[in-house]
Amino acid sequence: MFLVGGREVGSGEFEPLRSEVELLRSEVELLRSEVELLRSEVELLRSEVEPLRLTVELLRSEVELLRSEVEPLRSEVEPLRLTVEPLQRFKNE
């Protein structure tokens, strides 16, 4: 017998609480394991994302460079077309 809050309690009355405490401790351990697993997964995903970000940045830079090369070439093409089209018509006549 134990004295709890001014009344006597038998040790058998604590058994359901002990079982619940053990169950909760097991659940806490399971949740801790899950948290660690999720942390590892997050780190893995972060390590995969960074190279992809760098690749995207590299490709953006390449696109900008190519655009800067295309514009001057486009401006050369139109005058050449205007010269070549009459010559082709003349040749075909």
Side-chain angles (χ1 to χ4, degrees):
M1 288 283 191
F2 298 95
L3 190 60
V4 176
R7 74 180 183 98
E8 288 186 4
V9 177
S11 62
E13 292 181 59
F14 286 110
E15 201 51 44
L17 292 175
R18 284 186 184 139
S19 295
E20 187 176 357
V21 165
E22 286 304 311
L23 182 64
L24 289 171
R25 283 183 178 151
S26 296
E27 188 175 353
V28 164
E29 286 305 310
L30 181 64
L31 289 170
R32 283 182 179 153
S33 296
E34 187 176 354
V35 164
E36 285 305 310
L37 180 64
L38 289 170
R39 283 181 179 153
S40 296
E41 188 175 355
V42 164
E43 285 305 311
L44 177 65
L45 290 171
R46 282 183 180 154
S47 71
E48 291 176 8
V49 164
E50 193 54 33
L52 290 172
R53 281 186 186 153
L54 293 173
T55 300
V56 165
E57 286 303 313
L58 179 65
L59 289 171
R60 283 181 180 155
S61 296
E62 190 173 347
V63 164
E64 286 305 310
L65 176 65
L66 291 170
R67 281 183 181 156
S68 72
E69 292 177 19
V70 163
E71 286 308 313
L73 290 172
R74 280 185 180 155
S75 66
E76 287 182 39
V77 166
E78 190 57 30
L80 290 172
R81 231 185 236 146
L82 291 173
T83 304
V84 168
E85 285 175 359
L87 291 173
Q88 282 179 337
R89 280 195 308 266
F90 177 75
K91 180 183 167 194
N92 291 334
E93 290 177 359

Coordinates of all heavy atoms in Angstrom, one line a residue:
M1 N 0.8 -1.2 0.0 CA 0.0 0.0 0.0 C 0.9 1.3 0.0 O 1.9 1.3 0.6 CB -0.9 0.0 1.3 CG -2.0 -1.0 1.3 SD -3.2 -0.4 0.2 CE -4.5 -1.5 0.6
F2 N 0.4 2.2 -0.7 CA 1.1 3.5 -0.8 C 0.1 4.6 -0.4 O -1.1 4.5 -0.5 CB 1.5 3.8 -2.3 CG 2.5 2.9 -2.8 CD1 2.0 1.8 -3.6 CD2 3.8 3.0 -2.6 CE1 2.9 0.9 -4.1 CE2 4.7 2.1 -3.1 CZ 4.3 1.1 -3.9
L3 N 0.6 5.7 0.1 CA -0.2 6.8 0.5 C -0.1 7.9 -0.6 O 1.0 8.4 -0.8 CB 0.3 7.4 1.9 CG -0.6 8.4 2.5 CD1 -2.0 7.9 2.8 CD2 0.0 9.0 3.8
V4 N -1.2 8.1 -1.3 CA -1.2 9.1 -2.4 C -2.3 10.1 -2.2 O -3.4 9.7 -2.1 CB -1.4 8.4 -3.8 CG1 -1.5 9.4 -4.9 CG2 -0.3 7.3 -4.0
G5 N -1.9 11.3 -2.0 CA -2.9 12.4 -1.8 C -3.7 12.1 -0.6 O -4.9 12.5 -0.6
G6 N -3.2 11.6 0.4 CA -3.9 11.3 1.7 C -4.7 10.1 1.7 O -5.4 9.8 2.7
R7 N -4.6 9.3 0.7 CA -5.4 8.0 0.7 C -4.5 6.8 0.4 O -3.5 7.0 -0.3 CB -6.6 8.0 -0.2 CG -6.3 7.9 -1.6 CD -7.7 8.0 -2.4 NE -7.4 7.8 -3.9 CZ -7.5 6.7 -4.5 NH1 -7.9 5.6 -3.9 NH2 -7.2 6.6 -5.8
E8 N -4.8 5.7 0.9 CA -4.0 4.5 0.6 C -4.4 3.9 -0.8 O -5.6 3.8 -1.1 CB -4.3 3.5 1.7 CG -3.7 3.8 3.0 CD -3.8 2.7 4.1 OE1 -4.3 1.6 3.7 OE2 -3.4 3.0 5.2
V9 N -3.4 3.6 -1.5 CA -3.6 3.0 -2.9 C -2.8 1.8 -2.9 O -1.6 1.7 -2.5 CB -3.1 4.0 -3.9 CG1 -3.2 3.4 -5.3 CG2 -3.9 5.3 -3.8
G10 N -3.4 0.7 -3.5 CA -2.7 -0.6 -3.6 C -1.8 -0.5 -4.8 O -2.0 0.2 -5.8
S11 N -0.7 -1.3 -4.8 CA 0.3 -1.3 -5.9 C -0.4 -1.8 -7.2 O 0.1 -1.4 -8.3 CB 1.5 -2.2 -5.5 OG 1.1 -3.5 -5.4
G12 N -1.4 -2.6 -7.1 CA -2.1 -3.1 -8.3 C -2.8 -1.9 -9.1 O -3.0 -2.0 -10.3
E13 N -3.1 -0.9 -8.4 CA -3.7 0.3 -9.1 C -2.8 1.0 -10.0 O -3.1 1.7 -10.9 CB -4.4 1.2 -8.1 CG -5.5 0.6 -7.3 CD -6.1 1.6 -6.3 OE1 -6.6 2.7 -6.7 OE2 -6.2 1.2 -5.1
F14 N -1.5 0.9 -9.7 CA -0.4 1.6 -10.5 C -0.1 0.8 -11.8 O 0.5 1.4 -12.7 CB 0.8 1.8 -9.7 CG 0.7 2.8 -8.7 CD1 0.7 2.5 -7.3 CD2 0.6 4.2 -9.0 CE1 0.6 3.5 -6.4 CE2 0.5 5.1 -8.1 CZ 0.5 4.8 -6.7
E15 N -0.4 -0.5 -11.9 CA 0.0 -1.3 -13.0 C -0.5 -0.7 -14.3 O 0.2 -0.7 -15.3 CB -0.5 -2.8 -12.8 CG 0.3 -3.7 -13.6 CD 1.8 -3.6 -13.5 OE1 2.3 -3.4 -12.4 OE2 2.5 -3.6 -14.6
P16 N -1.8 -0.3 -14.5 CA -2.2 0.2 -15.8 C -1.5 1.5 -16.1 O -1.1 1.7 -17.3 CB -3.7 0.6 -15.5 CG -4.2 -0.3 -14.4 CD -2.9 -0.5 -13.5
L17 N -1.1 2.3 -15.1 CA -0.3 3.5 -15.4 C 1.1 3.1 -15.8 O 1.6 3.8 -16.7 CB -0.3 4.4 -14.2 CG -1.6 5.0 -13.8 CD1 -1.5 5.8 -12.5 CD2 -2.1 5.9 -14.9
R18 N 1.7 2.1 -15.2 CA 3.0 1.7 -15.6 C 3.0 1.2 -17.1 O 3.9 1.5 -17.8 CB 3.5 0.6 -14.7 CG 3.9 1.1 -13.4 CD 4.6 -0.1 -12.5 NE 4.9 0.4 -11.2 CZ 4.7 -0.2 -10.1 NH1 4.2 -1.5 -10.1 NH2 5.0 0.3 -9.0
S19 N 2.0 0.4 -17.4 CA 1.8 -0.1 -18.8 C 1.7 1.1 -19.8 O 2.3 1.1 -20.8 CB 0.6 -1.0 -18.9 OG 0.8 -2.1 -18.2
E20 N 0.9 2.1 -19.4 CA 0.7 3.3 -20.3 C 2.0 4.0 -20.4 O 2.4 4.5 -21.5 CB -0.4 4.2 -19.7 CG -0.7 5.3 -20.7 CD -1.8 6.2 -20.3 OE1 -2.5 5.9 -19.2 OE2 -2.1 7.2 -21.0
V21 N 2.8 4.2 -19.3 CA 4.1 4.9 -19.3 C 5.0 4.1 -20.3 O 5.7 4.7 -21.1 CB 4.7 5.0 -17.9 CG1 6.1 5.4 -17.9 CG2 3.9 6.0 -17.1
E22 N 5.1 2.8 -20.2 CA 6.0 2.0 -21.1 C 5.6 2.2 -22.5 O 6.4 2.3 -23.4 CB 6.0 0.6 -20.6 CG 6.8 0.3 -19.4 CD 8.2 0.8 -19.5 OE1 8.9 0.5 -20.5 OE2 8.6 1.5 -18.5
L23 N 4.2 2.2 -22.7 CA 3.7 2.3 -24.1 C 4.1 3.7 -24.6 O 4.6 3.8 -25.8 CB 2.2 2.2 -24.1 CG 1.6 2.3 -25.5 CD1 2.0 1.1 -26.4 CD2 0.0 2.2 -25.3
L24 N 4.0 4.7 -23.8 CA 4.3 6.1 -24.2 C 5.8 6.2 -24.5 O 6.3 6.9 -25.4 CB 3.8 7.1 -23.2 CG 2.3 7.3 -23.2 CD1 1.9 8.1 -22.0 CD2 1.8 7.9 -24.5
R25 N 6.6 5.6 -23.6 CA 8.1 5.6 -23.8 C 8.5 5.0 -25.2 O 9.3 5.5 -25.9 CB 8.8 4.9 -22.7 CG 8.9 5.7 -21.4 CD 9.6 5.0 -20.3 NE 9.7 5.9 -19.2 CZ 9.8 5.4 -17.9 NH1 9.8 4.1 -17.7 NH2 9.9 6.3 -16.9
S26 N 7.8 3.9 -25.5 CA 8.1 3.2 -26.8 C 7.7 4.1 -27.9 O 8.4 4.2 -28.9 CB 7.3 1.9 -26.9 OG 7.7 1.0 -25.9
E27 N 6.5 4.8 -27.8 CA 6.1 5.7 -28.8 C 7.1 6.8 -29.0 O 7.4 7.3 -30.1 CB 4.7 6.2 -28.5 CG 4.1 7.0 -29.7 CD 2.6 7.4 -29.4 OE1 2.0 7.0 -28.4 OE2 2.1 8.2 -30.3
V28 N 7.6 7.4 -27.9 CA 8.5 8.4 -27.9 C 9.8 8.0 -28.7 O 10.3 8.7 -29.6 CB 8.9 8.9 -26.5 CG1 10.2 9.8 -26.5 CG2 7.7 9.8 -25.9
E29 N 10.3 6.8 -28.4 CA 11.5 6.3 -29.1 C 11.2 6.1 -30.6 O 12.0 6.4 -31.4 CB 11.9 5.0 -28.5 CG 12.6 5.1 -27.1 CD 13.8 6.1 -27.2 OE1 14.6 5.9 -28.1 OE2 13.8 7.0 -26.4
L30 N 10.0 5.6 -30.9 CA 9.6 5.4 -32.3 C 9.6 6.8 -33.0 O 10.1 6.9 -34.1 CB 8.3 4.7 -32.4 CG 7.8 4.5 -33.8 CD1 8.7 3.5 -34.5 CD2 6.4 3.9 -33.7
L31 N 9.0 7.8 -32.4 CA 8.9 9.1 -33.0 C 10.3 9.7 -33.1 O 10.6 10.4 -34.1 CB 8.0 10.0 -32.2 CG 6.5 9.6 -32.3 CD1 5.7 10.4 -31.3 CD2 6.0 9.9 -33.7
R32 N 11.2 9.5 -32.1 CA 12.6 10.0 -32.2 C 13.3 9.4 -33.4 O 14.0 10.1 -34.2 CB 13.4 9.7 -31.0 CG 13.0 10.6 -29.8 CD 13.8 10.3 -28.6 NE 13.5 11.3 -27.5 CZ 13.6 11.0 -26.2 NH1 14.1 9.8 -25.9 NH2 13.3 11.9 -25.3
S33 N 13.1 8.1 -33.6 CA 13.7 7.4 -34.8 C 13.1 8.0 -36.1 O 13.9 8.2 -37.0 CB 13.4 5.9 -34.7 OG 14.0 5.3 -33.6
E34 N 11.9 8.2 -36.1 CA 11.2 8.8 -37.3 C 11.8 10.2 -37.6 O 12.1 10.6 -38.7 CB 9.7 8.8 -37.2 CG 9.0 9.3 -38.4 CD 7.5 9.2 -38.3 OE1 7.0 8.7 -37.3 OE2 6.8 9.6 -39.3
V35 N 11.9 11.0 -36.6 CA 12.5 12.4 -36.7 C 13.9 12.3 -37.3 O 14.3 13.0 -38.2 CB 12.5 13.1 -35.4 CG1 13.4 14.3 -35.4 CG2 11.1 13.5 -35.0
E36 N 14.7 11.4 -36.8 CA 16.1 11.2 -37.3 C 16.1 10.8 -38.8 O 16.9 11.3 -39.6 CB 16.9 10.2 -36.4 CG 17.3 10.8 -35.1 CD 18.1 12.1 -35.2 OE1 19.1 12.2 -36.0 OE2 17.7 13.1 -34.6
L37 N 15.2 9.9 -39.1 CA 15.1 9.4 -40.5 C 14.7 10.6 -41.4 O 15.2 10.8 -42.5 CB 14.1 8.3 -40.6 CG 13.8 7.7 -41.9 CD1 15.1 7.0 -42.5 CD2 12.7 6.7 -41.9
L38 N 13.7 11.4 -40.9 CA 13.3 12.5 -41.7 C 14.3 13.6 -41.9 O 14.5 14.2 -42.9 CB 12.0 13.1 -41.1 CG 10.7 12.2 -41.3 CD1 9.6 12.8 -40.5 CD2 10.3 12.1 -42.7
R39 N 15.1 13.8 -40.8 CA 16.2 14.7 -40.9 C 17.2 14.3 -41.9 O 17.8 15.1 -42.7 CB 16.9 14.9 -39.5 CG 16.1 15.8 -38.6 CD 16.8 15.9 -37.3 NE 16.0 16.8 -36.4 CZ 16.1 16.7 -35.1 NH1 16.8 15.9 -34.5 NH2 15.3 17.5 -34.3
S40 N 17.5 13.0 -41.9 CA 18.5 12.5 -42.9 C 17.9 12.6 -44.3 O 18.7 13.0 -45.3 CB 18.7 11.0 -42.6 OG 19.3 10.8 -41.4
E41 N 16.6 12.4 -44.5 CA 16.0 12.5 -45.8 C 16.1 14.0 -46.3 O 16.4 14.3 -47.4 CB 14.6 12.0 -45.8 CG 14.0 12.0 -47.2 CD 12.6 11.3 -47.1 OE1 12.1 10.9 -46.1 OE2 11.9 11.4 -48.2
V42 N 15.8 14.9 -45.4 CA 15.9 16.3 -45.7 C 17.3 16.7 -46.1 O 17.5 17.4 -47.1 CB 15.4 17.2 -44.5 CG1 15.8 18.6 -44.7 CG2 13.9 17.1 -44.3
E43 N 18.3 16.2 -45.4 CA 19.7 16.5 -45.8 C 20.0 16.0 -47.2 O 20.7 16.6 -48.0 CB 20.6 16.0 -44.7 CG 20.7 16.9 -43.5 CD 20.9 18.3 -43.8 OE1 21.9 18.6 -44.5 OE2 20.2 19.2 -43.3
L44 N 19.6 14.8 -47.4 CA 19.8 14.1 -48.7 C 19.2 15.0 -49.8 O 19.8 15.2 -50.9 CB 19.3 12.7 -48.8 CG 19.4 12.0 -50.1 CD1 20.9 11.8 -50.5 CD2 18.7 10.6 -50.0
L45 N 17.9 15.4 -49.6 CA 17.2 16.2 -50.6 C 17.9 17.5 -50.8 O 18.0 18.0 -52.0 CB 15.8 16.3 -50.3 CG 14.9 15.0 -50.4 CD1 13.6 15.2 -49.7 CD2 14.8 14.5 -51.8
R46 N 18.4 18.1 -49.8 CA 19.1 19.4 -49.9 C 20.3 19.2 -50.7 O 20.7 20.1 -51.5 CB 19.4 20.0 -48.5 CG 18.3 20.6 -47.8 CD 18.7 21.2 -46.5 NE 17.5 21.8 -45.9 CZ 17.4 22.0 -44.6 NH1 18.3 21.6 -43.7 NH2 16.3 22.6 -44.1
S47 N 21.0 18.1 -50.5 CA 22.3 17.9 -51.2 C 22.0 17.6 -52.7 O 22.8 17.9 -53.6 CB 23.0 16.7 -50.7 OG 22.4 15.5 -50.9
E48 N 20.8 17.2 -53.1 CA 20.4 17.0 -54.5 C 19.9 18.3 -55.1 O 20.1 18.5 -56.3 CB 19.3 15.9 -54.6 CG 19.8 14.5 -54.3 CD 18.7 13.5 -54.3 OE1 17.6 13.8 -54.7 OE2 18.9 12.4 -53.9
V49 N 19.3 19.1 -54.3 CA 18.8 20.4 -54.8 C 19.9 21.4 -55.2 O 19.8 22.0 -56.2 CB 17.8 21.0 -53.8 CG1 17.5 22.5 -54.1 CG2 16.5 20.2 -53.7
E50 N 20.9 21.5 -54.4 CA 21.9 22.5 -54.7 C 22.6 22.3 -56.1 O 22.7 23.3 -56.8 CB 23.0 22.5 -53.6 CG 23.9 23.7 -53.6 CD 23.1 25.0 -53.6 OE1 22.0 25.1 -53.0 OE2 23.6 26.0 -54.2
P51 N 23.0 21.1 -56.4 CA 23.6 21.0 -57.8 C 22.6 21.3 -58.9 O 22.9 21.9 -59.9 CB 24.0 19.5 -57.9 CG 24.1 19.0 -56.5 CD 23.2 19.9 -55.7
L52 N 21.3 21.0 -58.6 CA 20.3 21.4 -59.6 C 20.1 22.9 -59.7 O 20.0 23.4 -60.8 CB 18.9 20.8 -59.3 CG 18.9 19.2 -59.4 CD1 17.6 18.7 -58.8 CD2 19.0 18.8 -60.8
R53 N 20.2 23.6 -58.6 CA 20.1 25.1 -58.7 C 21.3 25.6 -59.5 O 21.1 26.6 -60.3 CB 20.2 25.6 -57.3 CG 18.9 25.6 -56.5 CD 19.0 26.3 -55.2 NE 17.7 26.1 -54.5 CZ 17.6 26.1 -53.2 NH1 18.7 26.3 -52.4 NH2 16.5 25.9 -52.6
L54 N 22.5 25.1 -59.2 CA 23.6 25.5 -60.0 C 23.5 25.3 -61.5 O 23.9 26.1 -62.3 CB 24.9 24.8 -59.4 CG 25.3 25.2 -58.0 CD1 26.4 24.4 -57.5 CD2 25.6 26.7 -57.9
T55 N 23.0 24.1 -61.8 CA 22.7 23.8 -63.2 C 21.8 24.8 -63.8 O 22.0 25.2 -65.0 CB 22.2 22.3 -63.3 OG1 23.2 21.4 -62.8 CG2 21.9 22.0 -64.8
V56 N 20.7 25.1 -63.1 CA 19.7 26.0 -63.6 C 20.4 27.4 -63.9 O 20.2 28.0 -64.9 CB 18.5 26.1 -62.7 CG1 17.7 27.4 -63.0 CG2 17.7 24.9 -62.7
E57 N 21.2 27.8 -62.9 CA 21.9 29.1 -63.1 C 22.8 29.1 -64.3 O 22.9 30.1 -65.0 CB 22.6 29.5 -61.8 CG 21.7 29.9 -60.6 CD 20.8 31.1 -61.0 OE1 21.3 32.1 -61.6 OE2 19.6 31.0 -60.8
L58 N 23.5 28.0 -64.4 CA 24.4 27.9 -65.6 C 23.7 27.9 -66.9 O 24.0 28.6 -67.8 CB 25.2 26.6 -65.4 CG 26.2 26.3 -66.6 CD1 27.3 27.3 -66.6 CD2 26.7 24.9 -66.4
L59 N 22.6 27.2 -66.9 CA 21.7 27.2 -68.2 C 21.1 28.6 -68.4 O 21.1 29.0 -69.6 CB 20.7 26.2 -68.1 CG 21.2 24.7 -68.2 CD1 20.0 23.8 -67.8 CD2 21.8 24.4 -69.5
R60 N 20.7 29.3 -67.4 CA 20.2 30.7 -67.6 C 21.3 31.6 -68.2 O 21.0 32.4 -69.1 CB 19.7 31.2 -66.3 CG 18.4 30.7 -65.9 CD 17.9 31.3 -64.6 NE 16.6 30.8 -64.2 CZ 16.2 30.7 -62.9 NH1 16.9 31.2 -61.9 NH2 15.0 30.2 -62.7
S61 N 22.5 31.4 -67.7 CA 23.6 32.2 -68.2 C 23.8 31.9 -69.6 O 24.1 32.8 -70.5 CB 24.8 32.0 -67.4 OG 24.7 32.4 -66.0
E62 N 23.8 30.6 -70.0 CA 24.1 30.2 -71.3 C 23.0 30.8 -72.3 O 23.2 31.2 -73.4 CB 24.1 28.7 -71.4 CG 24.6 28.2 -72.7 CD 24.9 26.7 -72.7 OE1 24.9 26.1 -71.7 OE2 25.0 26.2 -73.9
V63 N 21.7 30.7 -71.8 CA 20.6 31.2 -72.6 C 20.8 32.7 -72.9 O 20.6 33.2 -74.0 CB 19.3 30.9 -71.9 CG1 18.2 31.8 -72.5 CG2 18.9 29.5 -72.0
E64 N 21.2 33.5 -71.9 CA 21.4 34.9 -72.0 C 22.5 35.2 -73.0 O 22.4 36.1 -73.8 CB 21.7 35.6 -70.7 CG 20.4 35.7 -69.8 CD 19.3 36.4 -70.5 OE1 19.6 37.5 -71.0 OE2 18.2 35.9 -70.5
L65 N 23.6 34.4 -72.9 CA 24.7 34.6 -73.8 C 24.3 34.3 -75.2 O 24.6 35.1 -76.2 CB 25.9 33.6 -73.4 CG 27.1 33.6 -74.3 CD1 27.8 35.0 -74.3 CD2 28.0 32.5 -73.9
L66 N 23.6 33.2 -75.4 CA 23.1 32.9 -76.8 C 22.1 33.9 -77.3 O 22.2 34.3 -78.5 CB 22.5 31.5 -76.8 CG 23.5 30.3 -76.6 CD1 22.7 29.0 -76.4 CD2 24.4 30.2 -77.8
R67 N 21.3 34.4 -76.5 CA 20.4 35.5 -76.9 C 21.1 36.7 -77.4 O 20.8 37.4 -78.4 CB 19.4 35.9 -75.8 CG 18.3 35.0 -75.6 CD 17.3 35.4 -74.5 NE 16.2 34.5 -74.3 CZ 15.5 34.3 -73.2 NH1 15.8 35.1 -72.2 NH2 14.6 33.5 -73.2
S68 N 22.2 37.0 -76.6 CA 23.0 38.2 -77.0 C 23.7 38.0 -78.3 O 24.0 38.9 -79.1 CB 24.0 38.6 -75.9 OG 25.0 37.6 -75.8
E69 N 24.0 36.8 -78.7 CA 24.6 36.4 -80.0 C 23.5 36.4 -81.1 O 23.8 36.8 -82.3 CB 25.3 35.1 -79.9 CG 26.5 35.1 -79.1 CD 27.2 33.7 -79.0 OE1 26.9 32.9 -79.9 OE2 28.0 33.5 -78.0
V70 N 22.3 36.0 -80.8 CA 21.3 35.9 -81.8 C 20.8 37.2 -82.3 O 20.6 37.4 -83.5 CB 20.1 35.1 -81.3 CG1 18.9 35.2 -82.1 CG2 20.5 33.6 -81.2
E71 N 20.6 38.2 -81.5 CA 20.1 39.5 -81.9 C 20.9 40.2 -83.0 O 20.4 40.6 -84.0 CB 19.9 40.4 -80.7 CG 18.7 40.0 -79.8 CD 17.4 39.9 -80.6 OE1 17.1 40.8 -81.4 OE2 16.7 38.8 -80.4
P72 N 22.2 40.3 -82.8 CA 23.0 40.9 -83.9 C 22.9 40.1 -85.2 O 22.9 40.7 -86.3 CB 24.4 40.9 -83.4 CG 24.3 40.7 -81.9 CD 23.1 40.0 -81.6
L73 N 22.9 38.8 -85.1 CA 22.8 38.0 -86.3 C 21.4 38.2 -87.0 O 21.3 38.2 -88.2 CB 23.0 36.5 -86.0 CG 24.4 36.1 -85.6 CD1 24.4 34.7 -85.1 CD2 25.4 36.3 -86.7
R74 N 20.4 38.3 -86.2 CA 19.1 38.6 -86.8 C 19.1 39.9 -87.6 O 18.5 40.0 -88.7 CB 18.0 38.6 -85.7 CG 17.5 37.3 -85.3 CD 16.4 37.4 -84.3 NE 15.9 36.1 -83.8 CZ 15.4 35.9 -82.7 NH1 15.1 36.9 -81.9 NH2 15.0 34.6 -82.4
S75 N 19.7 40.9 -87.0 CA 19.8 42.2 -87.7 C 20.6 42.1 -89.0 O 20.4 42.9 -89.9 CB 20.3 43.2 -86.8 OG 21.7 43.0 -86.5
E76 N 21.5 41.1 -89.1 CA 22.3 40.9 -90.4 C 21.4 40.2 -91.4 O 21.6 40.4 -92.6 CB 23.6 40.2 -90.1 CG 24.6 41.0 -89.4 CD 25.9 40.2 -89.2 OE1 26.3 39.4 -90.1 OE2 26.5 40.3 -88.1
V77 N 20.6 39.3 -91.0 CA 19.9 38.4 -91.9 C 18.9 39.2 -92.7 O 18.8 39.0 -93.9 CB 19.1 37.3 -91.1 CG1 18.1 36.6 -91.9 CG2 20.1 36.3 -90.5
E78 N 18.2 40.1 -92.2 CA 17.1 40.8 -93.0 C 17.7 41.6 -94.1 O 17.2 41.4 -95.3 CB 16.3 41.7 -92.0 CG 15.1 42.3 -92.7 CD 14.1 41.2 -93.2 OE1 14.1 40.1 -92.6 OE2 13.5 41.5 -94.2
P79 N 18.7 42.4 -94.0 CA 19.3 43.0 -95.2 C 19.8 42.0 -96.2 O 19.7 42.2 -97.4 CB 20.5 43.9 -94.6 CG 20.2 44.0 -93.2 CD 19.4 42.8 -92.8
L80 N 20.4 40.9 -95.8 CA 20.9 39.9 -96.7 C 19.7 39.3 -97.5 O 19.8 39.0 -98.7 CB 21.7 38.9 -96.0 CG 23.1 39.3 -95.5 CD1 23.7 38.2 -94.6 CD2 24.0 39.7 -96.6
R81 N 18.6 39.1 -96.8 CA 17.5 38.5 -97.4 C 16.9 39.4 -98.5 O 16.6 39.0 -99.6 CB 16.4 38.3 -96.4 CG 15.8 36.9 -96.4 CD 14.6 36.8 -95.4 NE 15.0 35.7 -94.5 CZ 14.6 35.6 -93.2 NH1 14.0 36.6 -92.7 NH2 15.0 34.6 -92.5
L82 N 16.9 40.7 -98.2 CA 16.5 41.7 -99.2 C 17.3 41.7 -100.4 O 16.9 42.0 -101.5 CB 16.4 43.1 -98.5 CG 15.3 43.2 -97.4 CD1 15.5 44.6 -96.8 CD2 13.9 43.1 -98.0
T83 N 18.6 41.4 -100.2 CA 19.5 41.4 -101.4 C 19.4 40.1 -102.1 O 19.4 40.1 -103.4 CB 21.0 41.6 -100.9 OG1 21.1 42.8 -100.1 CG2 22.0 41.5 -102.0
V84 N 19.3 39.0 -101.4 CA 19.3 37.7 -102.1 C 18.0 37.4 -102.8 O 18.0 36.8 -103.9 CB 19.6 36.6 -101.0 CG1 19.3 35.2 -101.6 CG2 21.0 36.7 -100.5
E85 N 16.9 37.8 -102.3 CA 15.6 37.5 -102.9 C 15.5 38.0 -104.4 O 15.1 37.3 -105.3 CB 14.4 37.9 -102.0 CG 14.2 37.1 -100.8 CD 13.2 37.6 -99.9 OE1 12.6 38.7 -100.1 OE2 12.9 36.9 -98.9
P86 N 15.8 39.3 -104.6 CA 15.8 39.8 -106.0 C 16.7 39.0 -106.9 O 16.4 38.7 -108.1 CB 16.1 41.2 -105.9 CG 15.9 41.6 -104.5 CD 16.1 40.3 -103.7
L87 N 17.9 38.7 -106.3 CA 18.9 38.0 -107.2 C 18.4 36.6 -107.5 O 18.6 36.1 -108.6 CB 20.2 37.9 -106.4 CG 21.0 39.2 -106.3 CD1 22.2 39.0 -105.4 CD2 21.4 39.8 -107.6
Q88 N 17.7 35.9 -106.6 CA 17.2 34.6 -106.9 C 16.1 34.7 -108.0 O 16.0 33.9 -108.9 CB 16.6 34.0 -105.6 CG 17.7 33.4 -104.7 CD 17.1 32.8 -103.5 OE1 16.0 33.2 -103.0 NE2 17.9 31.9 -102.9
R89 N 15.3 35.7 -107.9 CA 14.2 35.9 -108.9 C 14.8 36.2 -110.3 O 14.4 35.6 -111.3 CB 13.3 37.0 -108.5 CG 12.2 36.6 -107.4 CD 11.1 37.7 -107.3 NE 11.6 39.0 -107.1 CZ 11.7 39.6 -105.9 NH1 11.4 39.0 -104.8 NH2 12.1 40.8 -105.8
F90 N 15.8 37.0 -110.2 CA 16.5 37.3 -111.5 C 17.1 36.1 -112.1 O 17.1 35.8 -113.3 CB 17.6 38.4 -111.3 CG 18.4 38.7 -112.5 CD1 17.8 39.5 -113.5 CD2 19.7 38.3 -112.7 CE1 18.5 39.8 -114.6 CE2 20.4 38.6 -113.8 CZ 19.8 39.4 -114.8
K91 N 17.8 35.3 -111.3 CA 18.4 34.0 -111.7 C 17.4 33.1 -112.3 O 17.6 32.4 -113.3 CB 19.1 33.4 -110.5 CG 19.8 32.1 -110.9 CD 20.5 31.5 -109.6 CE 20.9 30.1 -109.9 NZ 21.2 29.4 -108.7
N92 N 16.2 33.0 -111.7 CA 15.2 32.1 -112.1 C 14.5 32.5 -113.4 O 13.8 31.7 -114.1 CB 14.2 31.8 -111.0 CG 14.7 31.1 -109.9 OD1 15.7 30.3 -110.0 ND2 14.2 31.3 -108.7
E93 N 14.6 33.7 -113.8 CA 13.9 34.2 -115.0 C 14.6 33.9 -116.2 O 15.5 33.5 -116.7 CB 13.8 35.7 -114.9 CG 12.8 36.1 -113.9 CD 12.7 37.7 -113.8 OE1 13.4 38.4 -114.5 OE2 11.9 38.1 -113.0

